[in-house]
Amino acid sequence: MPPRYDDHFIAGRWTASDADRRLVVTDPSTEAPLAAVPAGTARDADLAVRAAATAFPSWSATAARERAALLRRVVEGLERNASRFAGIITAEVGAPCRMALQTHVGLAVGMAAHCVETAASYGFEERIGHSLVVREAAGVAACITPWNVPLLLTVQKLLPALAAGCTVVHKPSELTPLHARLLAEVFAEADLPPGVANMVVGTGDTVGSALVTHPLVDVVSLTGSTRAGRRVAALGADGIKRVHLELGGKNASLVLPDADLPAAVGATVDQVLFNTGQTCLQWSRLLVPRDRQDEAAELAGRIMDGYVTGDPRDPTTDLGPLVSAAAHARVTDYIARGASEGGARLVHGGTGRPAGLTTGYYVRPTVFADVDPLTTIGQEEIFGPVLCVIPYDDEDDAVRIVNGTRYGLHGAVWAGDDGRAERVARRFRTGLVDVNGGSFNPTAPFGGFKQSGIGRECGAAGLEAFLETKSMQLPQGRGNREPVVGPRLRATAPVSKPPTAAAVPATAPTAVTNEERNDG
């Protein structure tokens, strides 16, 4: 029998849930149950938030260097448990074991270390004129994370939040909660004070909604679908909460005429197949000069043939299954629609499982050519191993196609000259662009334009997502008797003479009531 869990990690200990039903976690490669976890309730969420709120005053007042020292223990715990995390991720996500250890866990450990060191060297205070500007923890943070690269995307939120002095309630995806249980154990072994880091499993409709609307939650950080982002933004608006959203993408890899086509196509295929295409960063659109489209599409198909699809526990496997039956049905439907609408031409793959695989949520890596950029597969995030090859006529046409979706997360430019590639990259309306194969930088800001999200993660920007800014106007000297101009001026304050125009900045603040403010 698979294990059954009946608790959440709240206030430093495993706390029984009052849930009356369980969620079954499924192995996507075998379709067999892995475990049962509680379908968390609003009461579970409330207990976790109250634990975080109780811990917040002490944790936020702890010196940044002391917080960093405790969080280094978390990094060490991640390293010690790397093999355990990788095994869990292979089981619940379906990620091939080599990829799970080297990429899912390896990048998570590196990201955690970067977060801690960024916080350790960050300037939380600065003088600006006669003001002391202080950046301090924003409060209780609700961090809602997805199933696709779960440990990395969790670390990318929780470590900066904790380093900033926030306390956290983490809601992992109900599809992949088992890695989060191990992460909670790592937090406990690192001796984080009770209530600083909490974890509640449940659905978005129940636990997610309860966290987002809770009056003691100050910041909500979500990585998920654009649909989920709309819902979180709407729920958070009532409480005027700070909401950070990292959402979907329909990312383009643009190959300019003077680029090395085989190298660009190879890199694009490798990227679109990572994690069986289940990443928001995947380059799912390959833009090539019209006269080289057939060459590019055929080359992409041949490269895909070199990837081994199968049991994710086999070290020779490159592609595992999709995460769930629902994901399998969705991607299969997109492939079927691509072959039947808009004149797209199926070059490689198609519907149906790969040969020899009758069990598990497997799909065939697929390439379409002659894709109209305005059709469904040219516009929608498929979230599977499907590459759409789109021809263009000139550079302006290519950039128009790149920017012609509601998303703006990631992209790539390939050119024979780095300067030209950078110039074209500046025209992308995306938050991240790889220029001639430039690698990901975990210390640089990451996030999207348009419906790909709000806010930034990673580096100093990721830390600042969980900070508030306070300006303290300090005395300017004992001899300075000038009155303070602005909303704090008392009506009875003695004023010997009116301030001169030079003493009042053009942007001097004035007191405005809610009724007078123009909120349009």
Side-chain angles (χ1 to χ4, degrees):
M1 290 291 293
R4 172 189 170 107
Y5 301 104
D6 299 300
D7 47 16
H8 309 286
F9 189 72
I10 299 174
R13 63 182 183 275
W14 292 103
T15 303
S17 172
D18 70 344
D20 58 5
R21 69 184 183 94
R22 296 295 177 268
L23 301 168
V24 176
V25 183
T26 301
D27 181 334
S29 66
T30 65
E31 303 180 39
L34 286 171
V37 297
T41 65
R43 177 181 175 274
D44 295 328
D46 178 66
L47 288 174
V49 171
R50 292 185 183 280
T54 299
F56 175 73
S58 176
W59 180 247
S60 61
T62 301
R65 64 181 180 278
E66 295 178 30
R67 293 197 299 263
L70 285 170
L71 293 176
R72 287 191 185 97
R73 297 183 192 174
V74 173
V75 178
E76 293 166 1
L78 291 171
E79 292 173 329
R80 282 195 307 273
N81 290 279
S83 295
R84 293 178 67 193
F85 275 114
I88 290 171
I89 289 168
T90 292
E92 65 181 356
V93 179
C97 57
R98 283 185 296 111
M99 178 195 301
L101 182 60
Q102 296 171 5
T103 308
H104 281 253
V105 180
L107 286 180
V109 173
M111 179 66 72
H114 278 297
C115 290
V116 174
E117 296 314 311
T118 296
S121 61
Y122 186 80
F124 287 87
E125 298 184 4
E126 66 175 324
R127 288 292 297 265
I128 300 178
H130 67 283
S131 297
L132 178 63
V133 179
V134 179
R135 293 172 178 87
E136 58 188 42
V140 174
C143 296
I144 303 172
T145 58
W147 50 262
N148 57 330
V149 192
L151 182 62
L152 173 62
L153 297 178
T154 296
V155 163
Q156 196 166 295
K157 293 184 187 298
L158 267 62
L159 268 291
L162 295 169
C166 291
T167 52
V168 169
V169 180
H170 173 214
K171 192 203 89 65
S173 168
E174 63 271 26
L175 296 178
T176 58
L178 303 182
H179 75 284
R181 293 185 64 88
L182 178 54
L183 181 60
E185 292 178 14
V186 169
F187 284 134
E189 291 172 359
D191 289 330
L192 264 63
V196 167
N198 309 273
M199 187 274 293
V200 178
V201 179
T203 64
D205 288 344
T206 301
V207 173
S209 295
L211 292 176
V212 175
T213 58
H214 200 292
L216 295 180
V217 168
D218 302 285
V219 181
V220 178
S221 182
L222 165 80
T223 295
S225 67
T226 299
R227 179 187 60 81
R230 290 193 192 98
R231 176 65 173 160
V232 166
L235 290 174
D238 188 58
I240 318 296
K241 296 188 185 296
R242 295 180 59 181
V243 176
H244 301 281
L245 304 174
E246 198 277 282
L247 308 176
K250 187 65 176 176
N251 313 301
S253 178
L254 171 57
V255 184
L256 294 172
D258 61 342
D260 182 335
L261 183 70
V265 172
T268 302
V269 169
D270 189 61
Q271 213 263 8
V272 81
L273 295 185
F274 170 73
N275 213 41
T276 317
Q278 299 173 118
T279 67
C280 58
L281 292 179
Q282 68 168 171
W283 299 325
S284 57
R285 296 182 295 158
L286 175 62
L287 276 62
V288 295
R290 189 172 299 277
D291 61 358
R292 304 197 71 180
Q293 178 190 209
D294 290 346
E295 178 186 358
E298 292 169 8
L299 176 58
R302 290 199 304 271
I303 294 171
M304 284 185 177
D305 281 335
Y307 286 73
V308 176
T309 302
D311 181 358
R313 294 171 178 83
D314 185 335
T316 65
T317 294
D318 300 306
L319 297 178
L322 299 176
V323 74
S324 67
H328 186 271
R330 184 189 66 249
V331 173
T332 299
D333 180 64
Y334 274 121
I335 294 172
R337 292 175 70 178
S340 63
E341 69 174 32
R345 176 165 48 95
L346 181 65
V347 174
H348 185 273
T351 57
R353 286 183 170 87
L357 295 171
T358 58
T359 302
Y361 308 127
Y362 294 94
V363 293
R364 299 164 67 190
T366 296
V367 179
F368 286 101
D370 289 319
V371 174
D372 182 335
L374 298 181
T375 57
T376 299
I377 62 169
Q379 288 285 313
E380 296 299 320
E381 185 179 38
I382 297 173
F383 228 62
V386 179
L387 181 64
C388 297
V389 181
I390 302 175
Y392 67 85
D393 295 316
D394 55 31
E395 184 178 302
D396 288 341
D397 185 40
V399 172
R400 177 186 59 79
I401 295 170
V402 167
N403 294 332
T405 75
R406 60 191 172 118
Y407 298 108
L409 186 60
H410 190 202
V413 182
W414 307 88
D417 174 74
D418 289 347
R420 183 186 183 191
E422 181 180 337
R423 176 177 58 77
V424 174
R426 290 178 181 274
R427 300 180 67 187
F428 279 33
R429 295 285 296 162
T430 61
L432 179 66
V433 189
D434 292 5
V435 176
N436 274 347
S439 59
F440 182 74
N441 179 1
T443 65
F446 166 68
F449 288 19
K450 298 188 283 186
Q451 292 189 30
S452 286
I454 299 171
R456 293 294 181 266
E457 296 185 337
C458 301
L463 186 71
E464 288 162 356
F466 297 98
L467 294 173
E468 289 282 15
T469 301
K470 176 188 292 178
S471 294
M472 292 186 282
Q473 320 304 338
L474 304 181
Q476 299 179 60
R478 293 174 182 246
N480 183 355
R481 301 297 183 184
E482 290 287 333
V484 177
V485 177
R488 293 183 294 115
L489 180 64
R490 294 185 300 173
T492 57
V495 180
S496 58
K497 61 179 181 179
T500 64
V504 185
T507 57
T510 57
V512 181
T513 67
N514 286 335
E515 289 75 21
E516 293 170 333
R517 184 185 299 113
N518 178 3
D519 288 321

